């Protein structure tokens, strides 16, 4: 028995003190394995399970791409299957949707930032939840950051301003609920800014207009309100998507290179500026569902590249000139539900396979059932003029009745009120989270030996699949009644051993280690991951760990806790050398045990 025990110790010592021959690649591999642990083993990373080669050598797939240079990861793309499609997310973990409650965004990003050479990072639909920590900026080589379709909330952290290499920032489909920061112009190389499907509120930050490199701005489906500034300085902008917000100014001047402008479902008012007629590359213009008035500029229809023009559901009035010409590319026009009168221009009226035209809900003088009477549109036009304060006298003259004016005024007030949409207020709760480092660590052989107790489960031959995870300090405090003296079951030269009970009723042994310097922690981290995979009925399983971070920086961690499955009946040695006969193992059992041990080692190696 002594011999086999020694074997275990030799094996474990070897595990704990592997020389750092391929330091760089090993540590990077370690970080990747840790990230998998944090992400709770998503199916996209299943391929790592039985793969013993270099992770950089895996062929890339839509779910996973790893690219390396000089033994460092430069590109990491993981796509999961957890769609961020929860309407009631309020900042807490949601079962089957987000990662579990024990996930800590802060620790996750701490680990992530160890991939210091990363240039491209994409973590999509992985159920990641929490506020985005400031320390993400430590990935200073990053040119592309995509964290779409997760459960991030709060604000875009200010230190992102230091990531001057960023060219692409994509945070689509999260729950960001602060304002869009006004310092984005610090990202002087930014070309793609996609923040769609979040809850960003406040104004469109005017500093965005200073980022000349921008080609795409997508802020679709947020809660932005107020004025849209003059964007004409963004000479490289091709795509502007501001649909489904509450922007309520007039339309500003647009940059000349714009190809796609999607501004529907806001509260833009006033006339459509003639300046849009100068956008020679414009292909796709959607201004529908706003409060735009006046005559649409004829030139919109004849822009050389225009193929999609949607002006539906506004308050456009007047009559389009009959000689209006349509651009050669124009395939879809929607002018329905406005206040247009007169004839339908011939290029829109001609029945053609090439072009779809929608014009219902106006007052056009054509023989179609879905047009209103002229008077409907004229009244609306007059009302429109009244509200913009133009020619009130003329209005009175035309209507010729003060009583009617009063009625119209009242009606107008109603319409004005409707423009101020009530904004949703979402009740959300602040989320207290324990700061904890999640990097695996190694353990000295001595205390591992001390922590080994004969497991009841092992005796019964049962083996439960145990998942290694990270524990929070709060959790451990709760399990041990704040490390109460009564839960202390042993004390040695390397630390204390406590018995505790987790929330789910599992009994655990918690070993606390005090660390003296950074190096021992680093050493520990290198090997914990390996230890976490030792699973055998005859080995006490390490269930997880917790690093108590005294200060923000994990290099200053003050304490490490290792959580083992709890095995009653004292430690192994007492059963071999115990004086009291009933506790000591019989020789037949000892022989059987030594067999287990050897098998255990062999299997684990
Ligand atoms: C890994 O190998 C084990 C044993 O051969 C097998 O049961 C398991 O399904 C494999 N996992 C994957 C993801 O292929
Ligand atoms: C990875 O691939 C390269 C080139 O294909 C090869 O030289 C190297 O040995 C591979 N490394 C591993 C660990 O498989
Ligand atoms: C999101 O959930 C709603 C119902 O909760 C469902 O109708 C919709 O299809 C889902 N969207 C996606 C992209 O899964
Ligand atoms: C979560 O998913 C599992 C398996 O898909 C299912 O059995 C369980 O009922 C789900 N739980 C909830 C709360 O939806
Ligand atoms: C900005 O991007 C260009 C390429 O698009 C690159 O050559 C340049 O180095 C970048 N600048 C910074 C500060 O990263
Ligand atoms: C954002 O959402 C979180 C979580 O739901 C909430 O605690 C926080 O107060 C919200 N912040 C703002 C600015 O609304």
């Amino acid at each position: 028995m002594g011999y086999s025990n020694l074997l275990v110790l030799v094996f474990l010592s070897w595990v704990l003190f592997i020389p750092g021959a391929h330091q760089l690649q090993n540590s990077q591999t370690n970080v990747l394995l840790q990230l998998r642990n944090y992400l709770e083993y998503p199916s996209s990373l299943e391929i790592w399970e039985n793969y013993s080669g270099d992770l950089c050598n895996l062929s890339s797939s839509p779910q996973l791409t790893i690219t390396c240079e000089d033994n460092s990861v430069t590109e990491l793309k993981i796509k999961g299957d957890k769609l961020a499609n929860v309407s009631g997310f309020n900042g807490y973990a949601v079962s089957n949707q987000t990662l579990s409650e024990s996930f800590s965004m802060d620790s996750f990003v701490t680990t992530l930032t160890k991939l210091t050479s990363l240039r491209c990072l994409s973590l999509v639909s992985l159920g990641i939840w929490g506020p985005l920590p400031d320390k993400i900026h430590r990935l200073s080589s990053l040119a592309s950051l995509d964290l779409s379709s997760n459960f991030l909330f709060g604000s875009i952290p200010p230190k992102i301003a230091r990531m001057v290499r960023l060219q692409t920032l994509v945070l689509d489909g999260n729950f960001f609920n602060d304002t869009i920061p006004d310092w984005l112009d610090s990202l002087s190389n930014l070309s793609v800014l996609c923040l769609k499907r979040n809850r960003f509120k406040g104004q469109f930050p005017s500093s965005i207009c200073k980022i000349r490199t921008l080609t795409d701005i997508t802020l679709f489906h947020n809660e932005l309100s107020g004025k849209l500034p003059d964007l004409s300085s963004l000479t490289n902008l091709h795509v502007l998507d501001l649909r489904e917000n509450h922007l309520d100014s007039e339309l500003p001047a647009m940059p000349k290179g714009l190809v796609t402008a999607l501004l529907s479902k806001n509260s833009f008012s006033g006339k459509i500026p003639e300046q849009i007629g100068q956008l020679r590359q414009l292909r796709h213009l959607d201004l529908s569902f706003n409060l735009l008035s006046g005559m649409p500029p004829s030139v919109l229809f004849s822009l050389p590249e225009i193929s999609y023009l949607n002006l539906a559901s506004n308050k456009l009035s007047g009559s389009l000139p009959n000689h209006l010409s349509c651009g050669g590319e124009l395939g879809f026009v929607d002018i329905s539900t406005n206040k247009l009168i007169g004839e339908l221009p011939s290029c829109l009226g001609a029945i053609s396979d090439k072009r779809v035209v929608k014009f219902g809900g106006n007052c056009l003088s054509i023989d179609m059932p879905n047009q209103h009477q002229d008077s409907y549109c004229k009244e609306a036009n007059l009302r429109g003029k009244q509200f913009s304060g133009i020619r009130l006298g003329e209005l009175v003259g035309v209507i010729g009745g003060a009583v009617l004016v009063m009625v119209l005024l009242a009606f107008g007030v109603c319409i004005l009120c409707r423009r101020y949409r009530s904004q949703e207020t979402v009740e959300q709760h602040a989320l207290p989270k324990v700061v904890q480092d999640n990097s695996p660590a190694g353990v000295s052989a001595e205390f591992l030996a001390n922590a080994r107790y004969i497991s009841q489960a092992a005796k019964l031959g049962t083996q439960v699949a145990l998942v290694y995870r990270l524990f929070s300090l709060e959790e451990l405090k709760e399990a041990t009644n704040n490390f109460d003296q009564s839960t202390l079951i042993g004390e040695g030269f390397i630390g204390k051993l406590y018995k505790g009970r987790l929330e789910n009723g599992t009994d655990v042994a918690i070993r606390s280690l005090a660390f003296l310097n950074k190096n021992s922690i680093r050493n520990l981290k290198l090997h914990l991951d390996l230890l976490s995979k030792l699973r055998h009925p005859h080995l006490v399983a390490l269930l997880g760990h917790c690093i108590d971070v005294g200060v923000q920086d994990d290099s200053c961690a003050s304490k490490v806790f290792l959580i083992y499955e709890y095995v009653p009946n004292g430690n192994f040695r007492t059963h071999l050398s115990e004086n009291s006969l009933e506790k000591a193992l019989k020789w037949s059992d000892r022989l059987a045990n030594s067999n287990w041990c050897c098998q255990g080692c062999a299997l684990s190696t």
Side-chain angles (χ1 to χ4, degrees):
M1 182 61 233
Y3 180 61
S4 56
N5 221 352
L6 190 66
L7 265 184
V8 175
L9 291 185
V10 167
F11 166 70
L12 287 174
S13 318
W14 173 77
V15 164
L16 298 172
F17 303 108
I18 304 168
H22 307 284
Q23 187 78 32
L24 191 58
Q25 191 54 58
N26 265 352
S27 63
Q28 297 257 312
T29 306
N30 258 332
V31 172
L32 291 176
L33 293 176
Q34 285 168 37
L35 292 177
R36 178 176 62 155
N37 199 345
Y38 280 110
L39 296 173
E40 297 166 8
Y41 299 84
S43 56
S44 15
L45 303 186
E46 249 167 28
I47 189 164
W48 295 1
E49 213 161 279
N50 294 335
Y51 181 76
S52 55
D54 193 331
L55 289 177
C56 301
N57 274 16
L58 281 173
S59 59
S60 60
S61 70
Q63 276 72 41
L64 175 67
T65 302
I66 302 175
T67 311
C68 306
E69 264 170 44
D70 301 329
N71 288 339
S72 293
V73 182
T74 54
E75 177 179 10
L76 177 63
K77 291 184 175 175
I78 309 175
K79 188 169 188 300
D81 49 15
K82 289 180 152 63
L83 296 172
N85 188 16
V86 179
S87 52
F89 178 73
N90 61 4
Y92 292 97
V94 182
S95 71
N96 282 1
Q97 307 276 351
T98 65
L99 294 173
S100 70
E101 257 169 64
S102 60
F103 174 78
S104 156
M105 186 61 187
D106 194 70
S107 316
F108 176 69
V109 171
T110 304
T111 304
L112 200 57
T113 55
K114 291 174 185 162
L115 300 175
T116 47
S117 308
L118 268 187
R119 289 203 295 269
C120 176
L121 176 65
S122 166
L123 302 169
V124 174
S125 297
L126 289 162
I128 294 170
W129 65 276
L132 183 60
D134 226 1
K135 62 179 80 158
I136 188 89
H137 86 274
R138 292 187 202 157
L139 291 171
S140 56
S141 307
L142 219 52
S144 169
L145 175 63
D146 180 358
L147 301 173
S148 302
S149 188
N150 283 296
F151 295 81
L152 301 172
F153 60 86
S155 48
I156 300 180
K159 283 188 184 160
I160 282 195
R162 299 191 195 167
M163 303 174 80
V164 291
R165 302 234 169 99
L166 265 191
Q167 294 175 25
T168 301
L169 178 61
V170 183
L171 303 172
D172 293 345
N174 279 283
F175 294 82
F176 285 101
N177 56 350
D178 207 340
T179 54
I180 297 178
D182 205 22
W183 43 254
L184 285 172
D185 54 326
S186 310
L187 306 175
S188 56
N189 233 3
L190 194 65
S191 89
V192 176
L193 177 66
C194 290
L195 307 174
K196 67 168 177 267
R197 295 190 183 281
N198 277 284
R199 296 168 177 173
F200 283 110
K201 51 195 175 196
Q203 301 243 347
F204 181 101
S206 54
S207 63
I208 287 184
C209 308
K210 294 185 205 148
I211 316 174
R212 299 284 160 90
T213 45
L214 275 173
T215 60
D216 292 65
I217 300 177
T218 303
L219 305 175
F220 166 52
H221 198 88
N222 277 286
E223 294 166 17
L224 301 178
S225 55
K227 183 171 184 267
L228 183 64
D230 183 337
L231 300 170
S232 53
S233 56
L234 296 172
T235 47
N236 290 301
L237 196 69
H238 297 319
V239 177
L240 177 66
D241 184 354
L242 303 174
R243 285 172 295 163
E244 297 186 23
N245 279 285
H246 310 308
L247 298 166
D248 60 4
S249 61
E250 302 204 339
L251 288 177
M254 295 285 166
K256 296 253 167 67
L258 212 53
V259 174
T260 300
L262 308 176
L263 304 169
S264 64
K265 296 191 177 162
N266 279 280
S267 301
F268 288 114
S269 59
K271 291 188 166 188
I272 300 174
E274 291 284 341
Q275 192 264 350
I276 294 189
Q278 298 170 15
L279 311 182
R280 311 302 288 175
Q281 298 173 43
L282 194 62
R283 241 174 257 163
H284 218 106
L285 178 63
D286 188 352
L287 300 175
S288 61
F289 295 93
N290 278 292
L291 301 163
L292 298 166
S293 56
M295 258 268 288
S298 308
V299 63
L300 290 186
F301 297 83
S302 59
L303 283 170
E305 298 290 337
I306 192 90
S307 74
Y308 177 100
L309 178 61
N310 193 344
L311 307 174
S313 297
N314 277 288
K315 301 195 300 178
L316 300 173
S317 59
S319 67
L320 293 167
N322 198 29
H323 59 267
L324 185 88
S325 68
C326 293
E329 302 295 320
L330 195 58
F332 179 91
V333 178
D334 192 346
I335 52 171
S336 60
T337 323
N338 277 293
K339 310 284 185 238
L340 297 170
I341 55 173
E343 305 277 321
L344 190 64
S346 51
C347 87
L348 297 178
I351 295 170
S352 138
D353 304 339
K354 230 182 113 221
R355 186 170 296 149
V356 175
V357 180
K358 297 188 171 183
F359 48 80
N362 284 290
C363 305
L364 298 169
S365 47
I366 46 175
D367 195 15
M368 289 279 177
N370 54 359
Q371 294 294 324
H372 297 284
Q373 296 292 318
D374 256 19
S375 55
Y376 169 88
C377 292
K378 282 189 175 136
E379 270 174 36
N381 291 347
L382 291 171
R383 273 206 309 277
K385 283 179 185 165
Q386 180 191 345
F387 299 134
S388 42
I390 305 167
R391 286 185 263 177
L392 188 63
E394 186 186 288
L395 172 80
V396 174
V398 170
I399 294 170
V403 177
L404 197 46
V405 171
M406 293 301 287
V407 171
L408 288 173
L409 268 172
F411 193 41
V413 169
C414 286
I415 288 187
L416 275 176
C417 290
R418 276 173 47 198
R419 284 175 51 179
Y420 295 93
R421 299 186 199 168
S422 60
Q423 301 205 355
E424 295 168 40
T425 46
V426 186
E427 272 187 47
Q428 284 153 331
H429 309 275
L431 178 78
K433 266 234 121 216
V434 178
V435 179
Q436 119 207 359
D437 187 294
N438 299 344
S439 349
V443 206
S444 97
E446 188 205 343
F447 81 74
L448 251 190
N450 285 344
R452 301 186 66 233
Y453 287 78
I454 297 171
S455 161
Q456 203 63 37
K459 278 185 182 164
L460 296 170
T462 57
Q463 188 174 19
V464 193
L466 297 164
V467 180
Y468 188 88
R469 71 173 175 99
L470 299 150
F471 289 81
S472 71
L473 187 59
E474 297 311 290
E475 214 176 339
L476 300 185
K477 280 185 178 166
E478 205 149 288
T480 57
N481 195 12
N482 204 8
F483 299 103
D484 192 80
Q485 205 58 24
S486 65
T487 62
L488 186 68
I489 51 176
E491 184 161 8
F493 134 89
I494 37 146
K496 296 179 175 176
L497 187 67
Y498 297 90
K499 182 193 166 184
R501 174 165 291 188
L502 300 179
E503 210 174 23
N504 66 8
T506 316
D507 285 331
V508 290
I510 301 167
R511 168 76 63 186
S512 94
L513 307 169
F515 274 90
L516 301 174
N517 60 41
K518 291 184 195 177
N519 286 344
S520 47
I521 294 207
R522 204 169 297 141
N523 228 356
L524 196 70
K525 287 175 177 179
L526 284 177
H527 303 304
L528 250 194
D529 199 46
L530 194 48
L531 274 177
S532 69
K533 296 198 193 75
L534 293 180
R535 289 285 182 261
H536 187 267
H538 302 156
L539 285 176
V540 174
L542 183 59
L543 300 178
H545 76 272
C546 162
I547 298 186
D548 175 21
V549 187
V551 234
Q552 273 290 326
D553 192 337
D554 71 319
S555 62
C556 302
S558 54
K559 245 179 186 169
V560 176
F561 299 90
L562 301 170
I563 295 89
Y564 298 90
E565 93 190 281
Y566 177 75
V567 187
N569 296 336
N571 76 29
F572 205 4
R573 187 155 39 132
T574 62
H575 287 266
L576 299 174
S577 62
E578 188 65 54
N579 294 333
S580 90
L581 272 174
E582 78 243 33
K583 260 192 161 183
L585 284 171
K586 293 200 210 96
W587 275 104
S588 54
D589 287 340
R590 294 186 184 207
L591 288 172
N593 276 343
S594 69
N595 241 346
W596 296 347
C597 247
C598 289
Q599 283 169 7
C601 304
L603 282 175
S604 305
T605 15

